[in-house]
Amino acid sequence: MLLSPGSATQNLKSNSSIWSKFKKKTNEWDGGGQSQQPAPMMGMMGGGMMGGGMMGGGTMGMGGGMMGGAVMRQRFLTLVHGDMETIKLMPNTYAEAEAMAREWVRPPPEAMTDAPPPPPEEEPPPPPPPVLEMPATFNLELNPGQIVALETSCSSDDLDMSRTDEGALVAGMFWGKLEIIHDGDTHQMEFTGTRKDESLPGEFFFDQRVMTKLSVAAKPTTARCMIYMSSPEVQYADIILSLHAVWKFGVTYPPPEPMTDHKVKFFVRVHPGGALEDITNQTVVSSLYYEAMPDTAAFNPSSYISPYNGFAMPVGDFIPHLSRVLDSLGLSLQTRTHFIATNIQAFTNHRNIAYRFMSPSRLTAAIDISVSMESCAFIRLFLLFKGVSDEEMEEFAGSGEKEAASFDWGDTVGFTEAIRDPQHNRVIETSIMDCT
């Protein structure tokens, strides 16, 4: 923006713009001593410019002339835009000058421009019509090999069967439970299930064989426990198991005598070679077996394994490592071989294994055991393990195979050398639970 050249100074009003805020130096123009140059625009004295003045009106002097005093020059603003140019009076503020420039360059409403008009906004496509009726086919296996087909139709008066209230599409393959009720005049059908993300072949049929496999795979988290006993001479013993309220018994062998919902009793005759004669069932076994299942809604067993109390390693390293640990804790060759062989399928289902042994105090709070034998050497080995991914292995960077090899689990489980002595009454319990 430029100031225009000087123009006529007559008929100018006093300007109260920002430029009037500048003060004159004390030695210039008036009141500060003799100026070195004449004051600009000083009025003419005596008879000058009487009547009509310059620029159509002039300034009337007192007593026939212009009285002395500084008259500020009127300032102009030159606006240039492309080939256009104009001169405007200088506004009082910068904001007013900017607004004046924007208004000047704005084309009139009727002006034609070369810019293409903005494309019209596309209207969203209309929602699909609601699905109020659709056919349905159910292939049902009433008994193994006996299959019936039900062809029917599903209808609704006003509810869309294809979408939820939020607009999500209801489609795909669902696995779950279909309940059909025919009770007197009550005939209804109800399905509860979940959608499967994986694609299955079109000829896939959910039959009794698949259901059996799923029931095995969906078995709840279970601790599988075995009790071994030996004595230097034949003697009778009671073994009483008590579970905490958040645990319950599963399969047991031989069947024990139930005492309460959370307590059972085995009554056996112990032989020197390790054979156990179950008096109630007239059965001879090498160990007593029972299962204990926790309520996973009350606590998460997987949270009991962490880098602070356990170790993790590839499954190929874990199995020989576990054999060495069991050997150091007093298990015989036969017992530790049986333990690993029984659970090797569960181990090899995972690429990496994280594990720990529970301490006797923590174990007793969940599963308590009492044996009516005097001077008994007792050890309970409860192995918790879970599969971990390669990414999760980074959390066990300081708790790997090297650290596990130098760790002594004997202090944790309360191992004593008496457990190796065949001259003692001995009870060895081995338990394992997959917390994956």
Side-chain angles (χ1 to χ4, degrees), residues 166-177:
E166 293 78 17
L169 183 65
V170 180
M173 178 178 292
F174 292 81
W175 286 13
K177 180 184 71 173

Side-chain angles (χ1 to χ4, degrees), residues 100-142:
M100 180 181 66
R102 291 182 179 276
E103 182 65 26
W104 178 68
V105 299
R106 180 180 300 163
E110 64 276 7
M112 300 296 294
T113 62
D114 296 335
E121 295 184 1
E122 295 184 1
E123 297 183 359
V131 177
L132 303 180
E133 184 175 357
M134 59 183 181
T137 302
F138 300 91
N139 293 318
L140 307 177
E141 186 180 35
L142 300 182

Side-chain angles (χ1 to χ4, degrees), residues 79-85 104-105:
L79 301 177
V80 179
H81 179 68
D83 297 334
M84 300 185 298
E85 181 176 350
W104 178 68
V105 299

Side-chain angles (χ1 to χ4, degrees), residues 9 17 20-21 37 68 73 76 80-81 121 158 164 175 181 222 227 231 283 295 330 350 352 368:
T9 59
S17 68
S20 63
K21 304 299 181 181
Q37 52 184 327
R73 292 187 303 168
F76 292 87
V80 179
H81 179 68
E121 295 184 1
D158 54 358
T164 65
W175 286 13
I181 299 176
T222 303
I227 301 174
S231 173
T283 304
D295 181 3
H350 309 289
N352 306 294
D368 192 16

Side-chain angles (χ1 to χ4, degrees), residues 150-228:
L150 297 180
E151 294 185 359
T152 182
S153 62
C154 302
S155 62
S156 173
D157 294 335
D158 54 358
L159 297 179
D160 188 357
M161 292 187 290
S162 66
R163 296 182 181 274
T164 65
D165 294 340
E166 293 78 17
L169 183 65
V170 180
M173 178 178 292
F174 292 81
W175 286 13
K177 180 184 71 173
L178 176 66
E179 184 177 9
I180 302 176
I181 299 176
H182 299 294
D183 186 7
D185 295 334
T186 302
H187 305 280
Q188 66 184 35
M189 183 183 302
E190 182 177 350
F191 178 81
T192 303
T194 182
R195 180 163 58 186
K196 297 295 293 181
D197 295 332
E198 301 88 351
S199 59
L200 293 174
E203 65 276 6
F204 175 80
F205 184 72
F206 193 96
D207 57 7
Q208 184 68 30
R209 179 176 53 86
V210 176
M211 183 64 185
T212 302
K213 292 182 178 180
L214 283 179
S215 63
V216 174
K219 188 176 181 179
T221 301
T222 303
R224 293 177 286 111
C225 314
M226 304 190 75
I227 301 174
Y228 300 88

